Amino acid sequence: MSINVNGSSIDLPSDTRVSLLDLLRDHLDMVGTKKGCNQGACGACTVLVDGERILSCLALAVQYEGRSVTTIEGLSTEGMLHPIQRAFIEHDGFQCGYCTPGQICSAVGMLGEVKRGLPSNVTGDLAGGSITLTRDELCERMSGNLCRCGAYNGIVDAITEFAETIK
Amino acid sequence: MSIKDAAQAVMKKAVQAAPDGWMPGGTPDPLIRQKHGLIGKPVSRLDGPQKVSGTARFAAEFPMENMVYAALKYSTVAKGRIKELDSAAAEAAPGVVLVMTYRNAPRMKPAPLFMSSDKAAGGDDLPIMQDEEIHWNGQPISLVLAEAQEQADYAKSLIRVTYETEPSVTVFEDAKANAEQGVFQGQPLLLEIGDAEASLAAAPHKVDVVYRTPRHSHNAIELHAATVGWDGDNLRVHDASQGVAHGAWSLAQVFGLEEAQVHVTSPYVGGGFGSKALWQHQILAAAASKVAGRPVRIMLSREGVYRIVGGRTLTEQRVAIGAQADGSFDALIQTGMVAMGRHNNMPEPFILPAMSAYKSGSFKLAVEAAKMDMLANTFMRAPGEAVGTFALESAVDELAESLGMDPIELRIRNEPEKDPTSGVPFSSRHIVEAYKAGAERFGWAARKAKPGTHREGEWLLGMGCATATYPYYRMPGGAARITLTKDGRATVEIAAHEMGMGTATTQTMVTADRLGLGMECVTVNYGDSHFPGVVLAGGSQQTASIGASVIAAHRELITELLKLAGKDSPLAGLDADEVTGRDGYLCKADELGRRESYVSMMARIGRDEITAEATAPPPLEFTHWSMHSHGAMFCEVRVNAVTGETRVTRFLGYFDCGRILNPKTAASQFRGGIIMGLGLALMEETQFDERNGRVMNPSLAEYHVPVQMDVPEIDVIWTDIPDAHAPMGAHGVGEIGITGVGAAVANAIFNATGKRVRDLPITLDKMM
Amino acid sequence: MNSFTYARAVDSADAVRQGAAVNAKYLGGGTNLVDLMRETLERPSALVDVTGLSSAITEREDGSILIGAAAKNTAVAENKAVRTRYPLLARAILAGASGQIRNMATVGGNLLQRTRCPYFYDDEGSRCNKRVPGQGCDAIQGFNRIHAILGASSACVATHPSDMCVALAALGALVHITGSDGQRTIDFAELHVLPGENPEVETTLRPGELIIAVEIPALPFARHSVYRKVRDRASYAFALISVAAAIEIDSGVVKDVRLALGGVAHKPWRALKLEAALTGQPATDENFRAAADQELADAKPLTHNGFKIELAKRTIVAVLAELAGDLS
């Protein structure tokens, strides 16, 4: 019974109640993934599972046995920040920093969704194959990540800049 | 000697001790003149790498050896007594270490109520789990400690409790009957100049209406949390705090300790907005830790935050303005009622903006507090101003409409030359410039004067404006320590806070400029109660408080440095006011070539480091100037004619807040305030069930805060005119952004639809 | 959250076998169930993970589409056939929750979402007949702005929160169910029930039964369909009112129409009266309004939700007018 976290195999807890979020924070002391509501209403706990963004607070750790989890700690390599992390700093896409890891993981997952053509609530033509990442598209897709400091404009700018570089 | 004479005598002494620009006759902070330094440059956050990589540790993220986890159980009645409390099943549950109730909690004193003394931090002054008494619906009645969070949470659910209820006041209308005069910061919230009611009655044009604002919750995304442990009689607290010195002192009072026995640190705070003070959770965690003999981590659930951390209270405000045909005000009346807890003192001071916003022939401003059996209400971003400007600035718009006058023009016509109620001059006020330049930038001229006349498909378009205003505060008690080391580096230590305002970055820039060092040579340490100073991150006063403290410590440091460097230094014979720092050198201010580097001076002195600590002079500037920040807020909305949904499509805030120290972080503060203001305008309400005093939407799913999709690109700009009477010429910028927003949105909605909503939030049902 | 055992089902027979255990629950994405367990509103002693069962989305020869109950919401909205043939379904899914939640939530789980009534959620402090039958309902005299205007009872005024289900109701979907007594298929309209005197009963599923697939029948005119959601913020909020609709117009006359409402009742509300009233009538705003009036004729407002009646009517008219306008 194990789960892969940022490339390391981790034993799953024996208590089935442990959420993926608490596994990371309480058991592994990987506190980069944040707890903001523990009820699926804020997005602070967003991580990537096999590249897809999910809410780790609503995920029972046991249900993710054998899966690969990437957290904010796994985005930067050998102390080098991921370009999207640098873009968040450059564009002041955060203030207190608490929702930030979730925003960044969510953005990475979101850009993958855009790339493969997943539509959103504001996509005009559902039949169309590709998505143009307009401001509205970006905002709608990032609306599952609350930021009470209100760094939303900076977040848009940071993600937009990063999205340009990976086009 | 009269009181006034006495005050002047104190002032004179203070001026002699510290001839700063914020005293009459003093010289402004020399940094105001300096144009080539870091101040004014957009600098990225120094703590950015930690925050984006998840390595910044918040209060619940410090491990302690042998730590246990806490869960709280809350009362379900508003008033009464615990009749039966059965915790046997909880105690027997797996992993449980302690079930604490009033029966076994250690004896503690109530927390000192915030503002009852200079370091008091308590949200209320009620007994904390000391008896059977219940004072509000949601009061903690039990705390469970267990080896794991899941175990603590489960055990908590096994506790059975019954109550003997007692009559309670949870209906606002009932509470009004016994309302009391509100008292804020020691002053009654009551101001009358002339006979405003008579002037109103006689005025040819008038508006006289009632506005309502609901309860609000701060909803910082970081849940309130603390990690605590005891080492003998010393208490260690990793807290999420906007007042570490306040917290440490107050905890010491609760547990009967010396202040120095309590060590509170808070290097990162995941949003505060007024909420990260001392509430019961830190105290209960410390108490339980003492009983269990093990360190405790407590992290409130989101529901828990709503149950035990107070929010902004509701207000009901009458605003009446009597005016002449040319728009000049004869009478300005803003009176009303707020709900307030029985064991706190925060009568939401919604009249503060009206005290200095407009000239008027007469004034009547008053706040009454209706006491209710509810969780203590508290400070939330721009307490008073956020909701007061909604009512006042909506009423000004209503008057403009009835006069057939442009609302900006009406405001400009009533622009006061000096503070209209205190009579003292403004230290710095450029609101008319902000309005004129803002109107130009926003394209105000395109606004249709007649409401409801601009339609695109289903959408009605409108523009509105409102004035933002927030006082400049500097609280007493600021102090700082600076250490200069022989390698020419400086470290500042001050018990201040970084909750996202950019304080750590901005104060590093300021200190670097002040010393004439590069930013890389300056470190600002904060968030530690063992550092000097009583510096609240609140009231937008932290920038000024740190600024004044560092100025004082810097003068001490330079004085000491010059003294120790002696007569062989090129700077021999000069005093601190005659020198300035540049590029790692201390220079004669008017002869920059006469200089010596810090490294050289330290070598000459032969010491590894020199440390200076000083206290900022008392904030007497307020007795001479009326000091405020201002802003002209412009909003464009689209209101759906079918569904009543409102979307804010454009927003501009043109701010007049003195000199802007770091445009990058200041812009974020402005935008953040505006966005919280959009929430206040359109969606935020803490639902308080008046039948039993229970908050019914204690969740981020049901309490709506703005999401990314609600927020347009927000344009912010500023006059950047320094206030000569403030350190660095700067004002704090944390709260001004939320003020005026509610009215700017409401006014834009009126312009779009012809419908005036006086009851926040402006949800779609009110537009139907 | 109480302790529970966790096991993955390898196939539907295995799931049903395990699901027959006392107090067992099927676990999909967990986006609602885990939250309800944390709130102690659900206290299963065994969780049977059914996310490994069929998640296939299959176009069939008869023109229907079969969606395995384990399909993620995202996968359904992303599916090309769903997007082109049933845009109202894709749009309903995309209007719900957030990207993260849609990546977790399954179709089967979405169908079994429970209400967002705050008095239901307030386990300790409020009365709720849905939680504790016979206890009373604190919502009727409390905050009920989000509550039902149609089909409510004196016992319960809660609403069903799903967006996807509103589209499925409009489409007349079928629900494939398996249980210890074998497989059966029911109309979507038969899955959820009105509260009546037993609001704790939310579906017609029998103990241990498992939803294994949702079938969407061929409905060619659904290619031209809409889902419109009205809510308190621009995204990531439950519907106050939502409308899923498809219409077929021939020479200005309504040949067929499908319409369902969300946010109005204990179940996704198929507007059968409206459909009957409109069929064969000219596709005019006046007729849309008259049909909406008929559909909402029995609507009963509570203290705070009276606005929903007019809002529902207006939204219906706007949606139908939009569809008719596009077709003309």
Side-chain angles (χ1 to χ4, degrees):
Chain A
M1 291 277 280
S2 69
I3 186 170
N4 189 297
V5 179
N6 298 331
S8 300
S9 180
I10 302 294
D11 286 342
L12 282 167
S14 55
D15 189 336
T16 50
R17 295 175 294 186
V18 177
S19 68
L20 181 54
L21 175 60
D22 287 337
L23 172 70
L24 295 169
R25 288 174 63 84
D26 291 352
H27 295 238
L28 304 178
D29 195 33
M30 292 176 61
V31 294
T33 309
K34 302 302 183 191
K35 186 181 282 189
C37 72
N38 217 26
Q39 56 190 174
C42 77
C45 66
T46 303
V47 297
L48 299 164
V49 174
D50 299 325
E52 294 224 330
R53 54 179 176 159
I54 67 154
L55 297 181
S56 60
C57 76
L58 294 180
L60 295 172
V62 284
Q63 201 176 10
Y64 289 80
E65 185 198 346
R67 309 282 294 275
S68 286
V69 181
T70 304
T71 70
I72 190 72
E73 290 94 341
L75 281 186
S76 35
T77 42
E78 290 165 15
M80 283 288 289
L81 294 179
H82 187 283
I84 197 171
Q85 293 173 317
R86 294 203 298 272
F88 265 69
I89 296 173
E90 175 58 29
H91 293 281
D92 217 32
F94 56 91
Q95 292 200 55
C96 78
Y98 197 79
C99 74
T100 313
Q103 298 276 1
I104 292 173
C105 288
S106 184
V108 171
M110 181 274 289
L111 290 170
E113 292 164 5
V114 169
K115 195 174 173 188
R116 66 172 207 251
L118 175 69
S120 83
N121 190 41
V122 299
T123 305
D125 178 13
L126 287 186
S130 68
I131 303 292
T132 308
L133 191 63
T134 61
R135 187 175 198 282
D136 263 8
E137 282 282 3
L138 196 162
C139 289
E140 163 60 22
R141 289 162 190 271
M142 289 301 293
S143 281
N145 290 84
L146 306 188
C147 171
R148 188 54 160 166
C149 297
Y152 289 130
N153 283 189
I155 292 167
V156 170
D157 294 344
I159 298 172
T160 303
E161 182 192 271
F162 172 68
E164 287 295 320
T165 65
I166 57 166
K167 254 185 181 170
Chain B
M1 194 166 19
S2 72
I3 292 172
K4 198 177 163 195
D5 291 342
Q8 281 178 348
V10 171
M11 294 277 265
K12 220 171 215 171
K13 270 191 182 164
V15 173
Q16 286 161 359
D20 305 276
W22 54 88
M23 301 304 299
T27 29
D29 183 350
L31 276 189
I32 293 174
R33 292 194 313 270
Q34 195 172 313
K35 299 292 179 203
H36 57 271
L38 292 156
I39 291 178
K41 296 210 165 53
V43 175
S44 292
R45 289 168 199 275
L46 296 174
D47 54 10
Q50 289 77 34
K51 286 178 175 176
V52 300
S53 62
T55 53
R57 281 191 185 255
F58 292 80
E61 298 169 355
F62 290 89
M64 280 188 173
E65 202 171 330
N66 206 23
M67 182 176 77
V68 286
Y69 296 81
L72 285 175
K73 188 175 175 74
Y74 310 101
S75 80
T76 55
V77 299
K79 195 163 173 56
R81 299 166 63 82
I82 295 169
K83 197 161 87 184
E84 297 160 289
L85 198 162
D86 180 1
S87 56
E91 281 158 24
V96 170
V97 169
L98 172 72
V99 178
M100 189 171 81
T101 69
Y102 69 91
R103 295 185 192 122
N104 60 345
R107 294 306 97 185
M108 296 175 268
K109 295 199 187 78
L113 180 62
F114 185 63
M115 297 214 308
S116 63
S117 67
D118 62 349
K119 283 185 270 189
D124 62 48
D125 55 5
L126 282 165
I128 302 155
M129 214 175 270
Q130 298 292 296
D131 53 39
E132 303 97 321
E133 300 289 327
I134 301 297
H135 300 274
W136 82 87
N137 194 325
Q139 176 183 322
I141 55 164
S142 181
L143 178 147
V144 178
L145 293 183
E147 301 291 346
Q149 190 67 55
E150 294 79 13
Q151 295 171 327
D153 290 341
Y154 174 64
K156 176 200 74 169
S157 76
L158 301 176
I159 295 172
R160 293 290 166 258
V161 59
T162 59
Y163 303 94
E164 261 171 46
T165 57
E166 291 167 16
S168 59
V169 178
T170 53
V171 178
F172 183 49
E173 285 302 317
D174 297 347
K176 281 177 171 178
N178 295 308
E180 295 171 6
Q181 173 64 53
V183 176
F184 184 66
Q185 294 177 329
Q187 299 294 317
L189 290 167
L190 178 66
L191 190 150
E192 286 194 74
I193 298 173
D195 187 342
E197 296 289 358
S199 298
L200 177 72
H205 296 275
K206 68 195 76 175
V207 56
D208 189 349
V209 283
V210 174
Y211 300 89
R212 291 183 176 81
T213 65
R215 292 174 171 84
H216 293 137
S217 298
H218 311 80
N219 277 318
I221 302 296
E222 180 198 22
L223 296 160
H224 285 64
T227 308
V228 306
W230 292 85
D231 179 5
D233 284 334
N234 293 319
L235 175 61
R236 180 75 178 90
V237 182
H238 297 280
D239 198 6
S241 172
Q242 0 190 159
V244 286
H246 301 73
W249 181 82
S250 296
L251 281 165
Q253 306 312 304
V254 169
F255 289 99
L257 303 170
E258 295 299 319
E259 186 177 4
Q261 289 176 284
V262 183
H263 188 196
V264 177
T265 52
S266 186
Y268 297 99
V269 182
F273 318 114
S275 75
K276 295 271 170 73
L278 185 65
W279 297 93
Q280 287 203 6
H281 63 283
Q282 301 105 316
I283 297 166
L284 289 170
S289 174
K290 202 176 177 67
V291 174
R294 292 175 68 176
V296 169
R297 177 178 293 169
I298 188 163
M299 186 175 217
L300 296 183
S301 63
R302 183 53 66 180
E303 180 192 352
V305 176
Y306 280 85
R307 299 267 176 256
I308 75 163
V309 177
R312 193 199 305 279
T313 193
L314 62 82
T315 73
E316 186 178 273
Q317 310 174 41
R318 173 194 174 208
V319 182
I321 307 173
Q324 294 295 317
D326 68 356
S328 56
F329 295 177
D330 291 336
L332 176 53
I333 297 171
Q334 189 170 9
T335 59
M337 197 82 77
V338 302
M340 192 167 88
R342 287 191 194 282
H343 302 275
N344 62 293
N345 184 20
M346 177 50 187
E348 187 75 20
F350 61 75
I351 61 171
L352 297 180
M355 292 172 77
S356 64
Y358 299 105
K359 67 181 170 193
S360 173
S362 60
F363 288 88
K364 182 178 165 189
L365 310 172
V367 178
E368 286 184 283
K371 294 200 172 180
M372 296 178 66
D373 293 299
M374 63 181 207
L375 167 61
N377 61 297
T378 194
F379 297 74
M380 179 168 161
R381 204 171 202 166
E385 285 80 4
V387 289
T389 52
F390 164 65
L392 177 64
E393 291 297 292
S394 291
V396 171
D397 201 70
E398 295 203 48
L399 180 65
E401 174 69 18
S402 72
L403 285 166
M405 191 180 288
D406 181 274
I408 296 177
E409 178 60 25
L410 178 60
R411 289 180 169 89
I412 291 174
R413 288 192 186 186
N414 288 287
E415 173 67 9
E417 297 84 35
K418 57 181 182 178
D419 189 293
T421 59
S422 72
V424 301
F426 290 113
S427 65
S428 177
R429 178 171 168 123
H430 309 279
I431 181 67
V432 173
E433 292 93 314
Y435 259 116
K436 288 181 174 165
E440 179 75 25
R441 190 176 172 98
F442 196 68
W444 181 255
R447 174 181 177 266
K448 308 254 191 278
K450 190 171 160 53
T453 54
H454 188 175
R455 182 163 179 158
E456 291 178 8
E458 284 185 1
W459 297 92
L460 294 159
L461 275 71
M463 289 189 208
C465 69
T467 298
T469 178
Y470 192 78
Y472 165 94
Y473 286 120
R474 184 168 71 83
M475 296 172 191
R481 181 158 60 223
I482 307 182
T483 300
L484 181 69
T485 49
K486 64 180 179 182
D487 57 357
R489 291 172 178 274
T491 301
V492 173
E493 290 170 318
I494 184 164
H497 314 84
E498 172 62 270
M499 308 190 292
M501 306 88 82
T503 309
T505 308
T506 301
Q507 294 296 342
T508 304
M509 295 162 63
V510 170
T511 305
D513 272 3
R514 202 175 286 293
L515 283 163
L517 293 173
M519 269 186 88
E520 68 286 352
C521 295
V522 175
T523 304
V524 175
N525 290 326
Y526 54 91
D528 186 327
S529 66
H530 281 177
F531 291 157
V534 180
V535 184
L536 187 77
S540 289
Q541 72 98 35
Q542 196 174 243
T543 300
S545 178
I546 300 173
S549 304
V550 172
I551 288 172
H554 173 255
R555 182 179 286 121
E556 287 277 323
L557 177 77
I558 300 302
T559 301
E560 182 74 358
L561 200 57
L562 289 167
K563 190 182 87 186
L564 293 174
K567 58 183 180 359
D568 294 336
S569 166
L571 300 171
L574 299 177
D575 68 29
D577 292 323
E578 294 171 294
V579 296
T580 185
R582 289 286 159 83
D583 307 323
Y585 287 80
L586 207 54
C587 319
K588 186 167 189 286
D590 55 5
E591 186 191 344
L592 295 177
R594 187 176 157 192
R595 64 180 196 169
E596 183 172 20
S597 74
Y598 292 112
V599 173
S600 164
M601 290 178 85
M602 291 299 286
R604 185 189 301 283
I605 293 163
R607 297 244 300 255
D608 288 346
E609 60 177 49
I610 295 177
T611 293
E613 184 175 328
T615 300
L620 296 173
E621 56 267 40
F622 302 110
T623 56
H624 273 260
W625 291 286
S626 174
M627 301 182 75
H628 301 269
S629 293
H630 299 97
M633 308 295 238
F634 296 85
C635 177
E636 180 190 82
V637 299
R638 298 165 84 91
V639 181
N640 192 288
V642 175
T643 61
E645 292 162 289
T646 296
R647 299 284 181 261
V648 175
T649 45
R650 289 198 299 135
F651 204 101
L652 165 67
Y654 208 122
F655 294 97
D656 176 41
C657 303
R659 193 170 183 201
I660 295 302
L661 301 173
N662 182 353
K664 186 175 273 194
T665 52
S668 291
Q669 281 286 82
F670 290 137
R671 288 197 180 97
I674 289 168
I675 291 168
M676 202 177 277
L678 297 180
L680 168 146
L682 295 173
M683 62 189 80
E684 294 193 31
E685 175 176 6
T686 310
Q687 294 177 335
F688 180 89
D689 194 322
E690 290 205 326
R691 294 172 299 177
N692 59 4
R694 192 159 175 85
V695 173
M696 286 315 301
N697 59 341
S699 138
L700 285 172
E702 271 73 31
Y703 182 109
H704 292 129
V705 303
V707 297
Q708 183 66 265
M709 194 65 192
D710 291 301
V711 177
E713 269 183 73
I714 294 172
D715 191 9
V716 291
I717 194 161
W718 41 84
T719 61
D720 213 22
I721 301 170
D723 182 344
H725 309 298
M728 296 87 71
H731 291 186
V733 298
E735 330 222 8
I736 180 87
I738 192 175
T739 72
V741 181
V745 174
N747 296 342
I749 288 173
F750 175 79
N751 183 244
T753 65
K755 187 159 175 63
R756 173 65 61 180
V757 180
R758 302 190 183 95
D759 178 15
L760 293 182
I762 308 174
T763 45
L764 60 91
D765 44 309
K766 294 173 188 167
M767 298 306 302
M768 299 281 294
Chain C
M1 201 183 287
N2 56 290
S3 294
F4 54 87
T5 61
Y6 166 89
R8 294 181 185 187
V10 294
D11 56 30
S12 58
D14 182 36
V16 168
R17 188 182 52 74
Q18 294 195 53
V22 177
N23 206 15
K25 273 250 165 210
Y26 297 116
L27 173 67
T31 54
N32 192 210
L33 182 56
V34 170
D35 184 38
L36 292 168
M37 287 165 64
R38 198 170 274 139
E39 299 286 338
T40 70
L41 298 171
E42 297 276 7
R43 302 168 193 228
S45 44
L47 284 186
V48 182
D49 185 343
V50 292
T51 54
L53 306 192
S54 174
S55 60
I57 302 172
T58 318
E59 285 190 86
R60 303 198 298 186
E61 280 184 18
D62 64 357
S64 65
I65 291 187
L66 192 70
I67 302 171
K72 303 289 195 216
N73 285 8
T74 298
V76 180
E78 189 165 12
N79 182 273
K80 201 79 183 170
V82 171
R83 281 158 67 174
T84 51
R85 294 175 51 198
Y86 307 102
L88 80 174
L89 176 57
R91 291 220 180 268
I93 291 169
L94 295 169
S98 68
Q100 293 96 310
I101 292 173
R102 295 192 294 269
N103 282 343
M104 304 173 78
T106 62
V107 166
N110 190 309
L111 264 51
L112 300 179
Q113 272 183 85
R114 305 197 67 187
T115 185
R116 301 299 306 187
C117 173
Y119 299 93
F120 168 70
Y121 260 80
D122 186 20
D123 186 23
E124 299 194 328
S126 301
R127 296 176 306 155
C128 172
N129 289 319
K130 190 181 275 300
R131 231 184 320 102
V132 183
Q135 188 182 41
C137 168
D138 277 336
I140 289 171
Q141 298 297 325
F143 288 103
N144 48 41
R145 187 168 167 273
I146 66 168
H147 288 71
I149 51 173
L150 288 167
S153 71
S154 58
C156 182
V157 292
T159 54
H160 194 269
S162 167
D163 291 296
M164 185 179 82
C165 287
V166 183
L168 293 175
L171 289 167
L174 300 169
V175 183
H176 295 259
I177 297 162
T178 188
S180 49
D181 297 335
Q183 288 207 13
R184 63 189 182 110
T185 299
I186 61 171
D187 285 342
F188 186 81
E190 291 168 22
L191 176 66
H192 300 99
V193 297
L194 291 175
E197 289 309 300
N198 296 95
E200 74 281 9
V201 178
E202 294 171 354
T203 71
T204 54
L205 291 179
R206 298 166 195 151
E209 279 193 328
L210 171 70
I211 295 172
I212 49 172
V214 171
E215 177 183 341
I216 308 171
L219 193 69
F221 71 90
R223 277 183 184 275
H224 193 68
S225 59
V226 162
Y227 184 75
R228 182 155 174 179
K229 179 174 181 178
V230 184
R231 45 186 159 177
D232 276 327
R233 62 184 175 194
S235 188
Y236 203 18
F238 291 94
L240 291 166
I241 288 286
S242 68
V243 176
I247 193 166
E248 184 174 23
I249 296 173
D250 190 4
S251 309
V253 172
V254 177
K255 202 171 155 201
D256 204 349
V257 59
R258 293 296 186 83
L259 192 140
L261 296 169
V264 297
H266 197 254
K267 60 184 287 187
W269 190 266
R270 173 86 177 266
L272 293 169
K273 285 183 200 163
L274 173 145
E275 292 178 8
L278 271 183
T279 305
Q281 299 298 313
T284 63
D285 285 6
E286 295 70 36
N287 286 339
F288 296 155
R289 177 73 196 197
D293 285 343
Q294 274 194 48
E295 187 63 50
L296 276 300
D298 295 333
K300 287 193 183 62
L302 299 162
T303 342
H304 305 122
N305 70 355
F307 73 96
K308 279 189 174 186
I309 299 174
E310 175 63 17
L311 179 61
K313 292 177 182 177
R314 288 188 189 184
T315 311
I316 289 169
V317 173
V319 161
L320 292 176
E322 180 193 339
L323 286 169
D326 291 348
L327 288 168
S328 62

